Amino acid sequence: MGKSKVKVLVVGGTGYIGRRIVRASLAEGHETYVLQRAELALQIEKLQMLLSFKREGAHLIEASFSDHQSLVDAVKKVDVVISAISGVHIRSHSIGLQLNLIKAIKEAGNVKRFLPSEFGLDPARMGDALEPGRVTFEDKMAVRKAIEEANISFTYISANLFAGYFAGSLSQMGSFVPPREKVHIFGDGTLKAVFVDEEDVATYTIKSIDDPRTLNKTLYLRPPDNILSQSELIAIWESLIGKQLHKTYISPESFLETLKGLDYKLQVGIGHFYHIFYEGCLTNFDIGPNGQEASILYPQVNYTRMDHYLRIYV
């Protein structure tokens, strides 16, 4: 494993996680293709990122979600397709566009594995999620259903919490930098979550693409040292800055009350906090026979611990 080089197409390669997946694929020496959509020609930062990938050895393929044949032609060039298109409502929610990609993969018939855009909570476990946040999981499950009905081989990546969003902020809402005076804690702050450096998300993802152990399975990213409660995360930060923060504990009732007053897009994203921090949905189950855990499969990956991750913010 890992010896043979794979031809990989990344869709959404200029996005938050996509750009890291492109670089991780290049770093592993895979022949890496990145989908270039026509509309990016007018988005100078994204275009320049694509050109920087090209300098690093990636191939750019022009195609569009609205042009079926262009997608078929693109996927015919590769063994593995990884989709990292945005699933964040605050920005642009494009999960449904993958249905076009699945049709193209089915027609092309050559793709050995498809990794759809997931990289968060496992949607298969979120059937009871709150409205309106459950739309994220329903959209992802519709994509899974289409993949499985088309009989396409897959790996689903459950990456839990991106450190940039959830660790750097100590899981506060409305900021991505850690507070230095006071902090909000959800419930009693003791339920465990899982925080993963985005670079590690990309590394584990690329390791899994030609691994028979992850074929038609969900890969959970649960690096053991990063399974932390919100209180433990805050304690790491306090030790780094050498002071105690003033703590306010938010009851589930008052959290849900606050949620009602927000606009729809914010309700979608922030609703997920409830399941993570009040229900412990990332760690309250065992990975069964349909899953694998990344740090067990790939012990050679020296993942970033959160005490190290948070140092940059000091």
Side-chain angles (χ1 to χ4, degrees), residues 100-210:
N100 302 2
L101 190 56
I102 291 163
K103 287 189 188 115
I105 290 170
K106 184 171 169 60
E107 184 177 320
N110 60 292
V111 171
K112 296 188 179 69
R113 207 174 303 193
F114 177 45
L115 285 70
S117 184
E118 296 222 351
F119 305 109
L121 288 65
D122 178 1
R125 296 186 178 276
M126 301 306 294
D128 298 325
L130 296 171
E131 294 282 4
R134 62 182 300 154
V135 66
T136 308
F137 309 119
E138 287 168 350
D139 288 353
K140 288 179 177 180
M141 288 308 288
V143 169
R144 287 190 178 195
K145 185 169 181 275
I147 290 168
E148 291 165 29
E149 284 177 354
N151 212 11
I152 294 166
S153 297
F154 61 84
T155 299
Y156 302 141
I157 306 286
S158 178
N160 294 304
L161 304 181
F162 290 163
Y165 280 84
F166 286 92
S169 64
L170 306 184
S171 303
Q172 303 302 286
M173 294 181 269
S175 171
F176 294 131
V177 292
R180 290 175 178 268
E181 302 300 331
K182 52 183 198 273
V183 66
H184 289 112
I185 296 180
F186 302 113
D188 62 5
T190 60
L191 286 178
K192 300 278 189 179
V194 189
F195 303 88
V196 189
D197 182 322
E198 291 84 342
E199 307 294 333
D200 295 336
V201 172
T203 300
Y204 284 127
T205 297
I206 291 296
K207 294 256 180 242
S208 76
I209 61 175
D210 56 343

Side-chain angles (χ1 to χ4, degrees), residues 271-286:
H272 300 169
F273 276 70
Y274 184 82
H275 304 294
I276 295 162
F277 296 109
Y278 291 100
E279 296 177 345
C281 72
L282 302 181
T283 55
N284 65 2
F285 62 92
D286 292 322

Side-chain angles (χ1 to χ4, degrees), residues 41-293:
L42 277 171
Q43 296 179 35
I44 188 72
E45 288 186 10
K46 290 188 171 184
L47 177 63
Q48 298 214 320
M49 192 185 301
L50 287 169
L51 295 172
S52 76
F53 295 152
K54 194 172 169 184
R55 276 188 216 100
E56 290 164 38
H59 309 279
L60 304 183
I61 302 187
E62 290 190 29
S64 163
F65 281 110
S66 55
D67 177 352
H68 173 71
Q69 192 55 48
S70 74
L71 288 178
V72 173
D73 293 343
V75 301
K76 274 189 172 163
K77 291 183 163 62
V78 299
D79 308 307
V80 172
V81 178
I82 303 173
S83 170
I85 64 180
S86 173
V88 182
H89 272 77
I90 323 169
R91 293 204 299 270
S92 62
H93 184 72
S94 320
I95 291 298
L97 286 175
Q98 296 177 107
L99 299 173
N100 302 2
L101 190 56
I102 291 163
K103 287 189 188 115
I105 290 170
K106 184 171 169 60
E107 184 177 320
N110 60 292
V111 171
K112 296 188 179 69
R113 207 174 303 193
F114 177 45
L115 285 70
S117 184
E118 296 222 351
F119 305 109
L121 288 65
D122 178 1
R125 296 186 178 276
M126 301 306 294
D128 298 325
L130 296 171
E131 294 282 4
R134 62 182 300 154
V135 66
T136 308
F137 309 119
E138 287 168 350
D139 288 353
K140 288 179 177 180
M141 288 308 288
V143 169
R144 287 190 178 195
K145 185 169 181 275
I147 290 168
E148 291 165 29
E149 284 177 354
N151 212 11
I152 294 166
S153 297
F154 61 84
T155 299
Y156 302 141
I157 306 286
S158 178
N160 294 304
L161 304 181
F162 290 163
Y165 280 84
F166 286 92
S169 64
L170 306 184
S171 303
Q172 303 302 286
M173 294 181 269
S175 171
F176 294 131
V177 292
R180 290 175 178 268
E181 302 300 331
K182 52 183 198 273
V183 66
H184 289 112
I185 296 180
F186 302 113
D188 62 5
T190 60
L191 286 178
K192 300 278 189 179
V194 189
F195 303 88
V196 189
D197 182 322
E198 291 84 342
E199 307 294 333
D200 295 336
V201 172
T203 300
Y204 284 127
T205 297
I206 291 296
K207 294 256 180 242
S208 76
I209 61 175
D210 56 343
D211 187 341
R213 299 171 298 178
T214 57
L215 183 65
N216 297 334
K217 290 205 178 356
T218 300
L219 181 68
Y220 295 91
L221 276 45
R222 280 189 186 177
D225 291 350
N226 291 353
I227 300 174
L228 301 165
S229 68
Q230 193 190 6
S231 291
E232 287 170 328
L233 187 71
I234 291 164
I236 291 171
W237 176 241
E238 289 175 330
S239 73
L240 285 171
I241 61 169
K243 71 183 269 195
Q244 299 290 304
L245 303 183
H246 178 267
K247 297 171 182 71
T248 306
Y249 293 85
I250 302 173
S251 71
E253 298 73 28
S254 69
F255 179 87
L256 291 172
E257 202 48 50
T258 310
L259 192 62
K260 283 183 198 149
L262 301 172
D263 82 26
Y264 173 79
K265 284 181 178 178
L266 284 171
Q267 280 192 44
V268 170
I270 290 170
H272 300 169
F273 276 70
Y274 184 82
H275 304 294
I276 295 162
F277 296 109
Y278 291 100
E279 296 177 345
C281 72
L282 302 181
T283 55
N284 65 2
F285 62 92
D286 292 322
I287 295 170
N290 295 322
Q292 293 278 10
E293 199 284 303

